[in-house]
Amino acid sequence: MSKKVVILGGGVGGMSAAQELAERGFDVEVYERLEVLGGKARSIPVPDSASGGRKPLPGEHGFRFFPSFYKHTFDTMKRIPYGTNRRGVYDNLIETTHVMAAREGMTEISFPLYLPERLDDWEMLYRLIVKNEANIPRSEMLFFARKVLQFLTACTERRNTDYDDITWWDFVEADGKSKEYVDFLAVGLTRDLVAMQAEISSSRTVARIYVQLMLGILQPWLHVDSILNGPTSRVWIDPWEAYLTQLGVNFHTGASVDSFEFDASSGRISGVNITQGSETFKVEADYYVSALPVEVMARKVTPQMGQKDPMLATLDQLQTGWMNGILFFLNKNISLNHGHILYVDSPWALTSIFSQSFWEDIDLDEYGNGELEGILSICISDWNTPGVLYGKAARDCSAEEIKEEVWAQITRRLNDTGTIYLEPGDVITWFLSPTIDIQPGEPTKNTEPLLLNTAGSLRYRPEAASQIENLFLASDYVRTNTDLATMESANEAARRAVNGILGREGWMLGLCRLYELEEPLIFKPARAIDRLRFKMGLPQLDYL
Ligand SMILES: Cc1cc2nc3c(=O)[nH]c(=O)nc-3n(C[C@H](O)[C@H](O)[C@H](O)COP(=O)(O)OP(=O)(O)OC[C@H]3O[C@@H](n4cnc5c(N)ncnc54)[C@H](O)[C@@H]3O)c2cc1C
């Protein structure tokens, strides 16, 4: 008889684990608190927005980007059938071609995400590098390049200790540098793309991601950044659910995990208590995979579980931050850039994409009131810095104030050099992710915060296979090669969790494939030398 695995949480981590297990013949049950699957990656239809028999407007928790180093996620997507796609859901990814930086009072800077091919690509690079339109002092650019080199030539052990303990801000010595250095190099990318504040983020994590993004640009056969060709749930999560159901996975939605039962005599989990509707019951299995977010799991760990595995007891040391989506549904089809726009000097660290320009096969007439022509999907990554209209941080604003403030910060950066791209009359309606819970007279809550890879946090990141023999972890906070709170790390964690189960079942072959983050081979000798120096307690060599 096949072994039974209960998976707690139906986000990317939980669904990835379900897939790996079901494809290997396990009996899989998934318990998910919400009525829908996908977790933070789910789409959220806009309530009361449909008329004339159409679908509700396609809201998202936040837009999704899939950089080229997402090998685990891509591999999973290729196995999810989708229509006539040869490579399943993976073929629903569309490459973005440019990233644009928008600043107030200055011309936008666009950057090709591939090696230059056409004349205008070279022109863009010329403007960026030779004319230095970003205005970063050359000495500071060189300084930054030197810091990246320093990281590239450091061995893993040094990165995991010294560089994890220092913030990215301190590592790139942002104090006293120009505003442009801070906006573009020290803060911009990390804050805008992954809600990481340079002042608290681990330099190891940020530098590794920088290197991955750079490698993506330098390898023309890779797509540095892709996005889906439709609403996330429609073109990925729903087909995934259908595929898993076909494999025999049982999904229990609206089913919330209350607590774990731990049997101290055997040192094993003996069951999980679940509430579904008005019913509360206990589920039992051979193995349990917790794919709950870190802040939820930290609260579920009992003292006895923490004693058995001390890494579980310190999960509350891992910090979360806020990153959330707001969408403007437009009655005109505009796209200023074929990719993301980073509002590098915006107080709320805004990033946007005009989603509709990638939704080639989606008929927008199917949605809303039939007027939909464009979707400006925005992520707000800084909820603590005062805005420009009300002088308040996003977390202190009403939903209406957030909308006004985001619109002001965006239009001040797009409409400021002669052409008016966005006007209030273009907006049909807007939608703020309901995970931002704003109640009058109460501090605003974010019901689904995102893990932050803060400096010094690596030591608190648990392995997927816990010290409790039948408990495994499959969420974005687990220790992985990816090491950044993303769908990729959730997927990799799930593979590691499943490999843990397979190991305990005695499987030697047929394990889930794990991928390393690639690094330029040219620095391998320097890293080997540094490993020796690190072991001898010596500092790193300075190659410049
Ligand atoms: C706005 C935003 C934009 C993002 N953009 C990107 C991006 O572009 N690219 C990228 O790679 N990553 C992005 N991320 C990060 C990424 O979405 C997450 O890291 C990833 O989805 C985490 O997956 P997970 O399965 O570990 O956790 P989750 O997605 O949080 O899934 C956990 C699941 O557990 C469920 N759950 C919670 N409590 C209980 C309970 N008591 N009982 C049962 N179930 C429970 C939740 O409802 C959820 O479905 C973004 C995140 C945010 C917030």
Side-chain angles (χ1 to χ4, degrees):
M1 209 174 76
S2 43
K3 289 282 169 78
K4 178 174 169 183
V5 184
V6 157
I7 297 177
L8 311 166
V12 171
M15 293 181 81
S16 305
Q19 177 168 348
E20 298 296 342
L21 287 162
E23 285 177 347
R24 288 169 176 77
F26 284 80
D27 174 8
V28 182
E29 307 276 330
V30 178
Y31 292 86
E32 163 57 46
R33 175 181 66 97
L34 298 174
E35 293 300 336
V36 292
L37 300 172
K40 295 188 188 78
R42 71 190 182 281
S43 303
I44 308 179
V46 181
D48 306 322
S49 63
S51 63
R54 295 184 191 81
K55 298 181 185 134
L57 287 166
E60 299 276 340
H61 181 48
F63 62 68
R64 312 270 107 206
F65 85 112
F66 298 75
S68 54
F69 63 88
Y70 276 21
K71 297 205 177 91
H72 301 92
T73 311
F74 293 160
D75 174 60
T76 295
M77 290 173 122
K78 285 176 187 165
R79 306 202 307 264
I80 305 169
Y82 189 90
T84 54
N85 286 3
R86 196 170 56 80
R87 294 173 301 177
V89 160
Y90 175 76
D91 283 339
N92 289 344
L93 287 171
I94 305 221
E95 185 184 7
T96 70
T97 56
H98 293 78
V99 66
M100 180 187 267
R103 292 163 299 166
E104 191 169 356
M106 305 185 88
T107 316
E108 281 70 64
I109 302 176
S110 210
F111 185 77
L113 292 173
Y114 49 85
L115 288 180
E117 288 166 5
R118 298 185 303 268
L119 197 60
D120 52 347
D121 299 335
W122 286 108
E123 192 203 324
M124 278 182 206
L125 279 188
Y126 174 79
R127 284 175 49 199
L128 191 73
I129 295 167
V130 183
K131 285 181 74 187
N132 188 15
E133 286 196 355
N135 261 334
I136 307 169
R138 296 223 179 266
S139 58
E140 293 185 355
M141 266 200 226
L142 285 176
F143 178 80
F144 185 79
R146 203 171 146 174
K147 295 308 282 186
V148 175
L149 182 69
Q150 181 185 333
F151 184 79
L152 282 168
T153 53
C155 65
T156 307
E157 294 78 0
R158 197 183 295 283
R159 291 177 182 184
N160 288 354
T161 50
D162 299 2
Y163 291 166
D164 191 61
D165 282 346
I166 177 176
T167 64
W168 175 246
W169 180 273
D170 286 340
F171 177 69
V172 296
E173 299 178 37
D175 267 338
K177 296 272 188 315
S178 67
K179 180 174 181 318
E180 289 74 17
Y181 179 87
V182 170
D183 280 351
F184 280 94
L185 299 176
V187 171
L189 189 76
T190 53
R191 189 181 68 149
D192 294 345
L193 287 188
V194 285
M196 294 181 75
Q197 290 161 263
E199 295 86 342
I200 58 169
S201 298
S202 149
S203 65
R204 168 185 177 274
T205 302
V206 178
R208 276 160 52 101
I209 298 305
Y210 251 108
V211 170
Q212 292 309 308
L213 294 175
M214 289 303 134
L215 280 176
I217 294 176
L218 296 174
Q219 301 177 81
W221 55 93
L222 296 178
H223 297 171
V224 181
D225 171 22
S226 300
I227 72 161
L228 285 164
N229 63 1
T232 313
S233 290
R234 175 165 166 175
V235 301
W236 179 22
I237 304 295
D238 295 347
W240 200 1
E241 179 180 358
Y243 172 57
L244 296 182
T245 305
Q246 192 196 322
L247 286 178
V249 175
N250 281 321
F251 289 104
H252 307 267
T253 53
S256 195
V257 175
D258 297 329
S259 57
F260 287 93
E261 287 196 8
F262 179 72
D263 175 26
S265 58
S266 65
R268 293 166 62 91
I269 300 293
S270 55
V272 176
N273 297 310
I274 305 274
T275 297
Q276 190 174 29
S278 54
E279 249 186 282
T280 296
F281 51 92
K282 177 176 167 182
V283 293
E284 292 178 355
D286 297 295
Y287 296 102
Y288 301 85
V289 175
S290 171
L292 302 170
V294 66
E295 73 285 357
V296 176
M297 185 58 189
R299 292 196 303 265
K300 306 279 178 219
V301 174
T302 65
Q304 282 182 322
M305 287 166 71
Q307 253 172 10
K308 180 78 182 164
D309 185 344
M311 289 302 282
L312 295 176
T314 52
L315 283 183
D316 58 0
Q317 297 295 317
L318 294 172
Q319 290 181 36
T320 55
W322 291 25
M323 181 182 193
N324 274 79
I326 181 167
L327 293 95
F328 290 91
F329 295 97
L330 308 173
N331 56 23
K332 77 176 183 196
N333 180 359
I334 67 160
S335 173
L336 298 176
N337 180 53
H338 195 257
H340 293 97
I341 303 179
L342 314 182
Y343 302 85
V344 285
D345 59 349
S346 60
W348 287 6
L350 305 178
T351 326
S352 74
I353 193 145
F354 287 95
S355 312
Q356 86 287 346
S357 46
F358 297 86
W359 293 8
E360 287 161 2
D361 297 330
I362 302 282
D363 179 5
L364 294 182
D365 283 346
E366 289 177 20
Y367 293 100
N369 62 1
E371 283 178 29
L372 184 64
E373 296 285 337
I375 301 172
L376 174 59
S377 186
I378 299 156
C379 271
I380 309 172
S381 294
D382 186 334
W383 289 76
N384 300 317
T385 300
V388 293
L389 290 185
Y390 306 102
K392 292 199 269 184
R395 61 167 75 218
D396 298 325
C397 288
S398 66
E400 183 70 26
E401 286 171 338
I402 291 175
K403 181 265 287 185
E404 290 291 326
E405 182 71 53
V406 168
W407 185 259
Q409 290 186 30
I410 288 211
T411 50
R412 284 185 190 185
R413 283 160 184 81
L414 295 182
N415 290 345
D416 56 345
T417 43
T419 313
I420 302 295
Y421 292 107
L422 285 171
E423 293 178 282
D426 303 334
V427 180
I428 303 169
T429 188
W430 56 279
F431 175 67
L432 176 67
S433 166
T435 55
I436 296 298
D437 183 10
I438 304 175
Q439 302 295 339
E442 285 179 31
T444 297
K445 292 194 233 23
N446 182 348
T447 55
E448 295 182 43
L450 185 63
L451 175 80
L452 295 178
N453 293 62
T454 51
S457 63
L458 185 62
R459 58 176 65 83
Y460 298 115
R461 308 271 301 281
E463 299 288 347
S466 82
Q467 298 297 313
I468 298 173
E469 207 191 327
N470 61 348
L471 177 66
F472 299 84
L473 309 173
S475 185
D476 58 6
Y477 63 89
V478 167
R479 201 177 271 236
T480 55
N481 292 334
T482 314
D483 185 42
L484 178 71
T486 53
M487 301 179 291
E488 175 70 354
S489 57
N491 183 291
E492 185 188 336
R495 288 162 183 255
R496 288 174 181 271
V498 172
N499 282 350
I501 294 176
L502 298 179
R504 297 211 174 136
E505 285 291 300
W507 288 44
M508 309 282 277
L509 299 171
L511 302 185
C512 307
R513 183 150 181 207
L514 296 173
Y515 299 86
E516 299 278 341
L517 285 185
E518 231 177 88
E519 292 232 358
L521 284 178
I522 191 169
F523 298 113
K524 217 173 164 182
R527 286 203 299 274
I529 293 170
D530 191 49
R531 181 161 298 114
L532 284 178
R533 292 182 63 87
F534 183 80
K535 282 188 181 148
M536 293 161 70
L538 295 172
Q540 204 180 340
L541 286 177
D542 187 351
Y543 288 92
L544 283 180

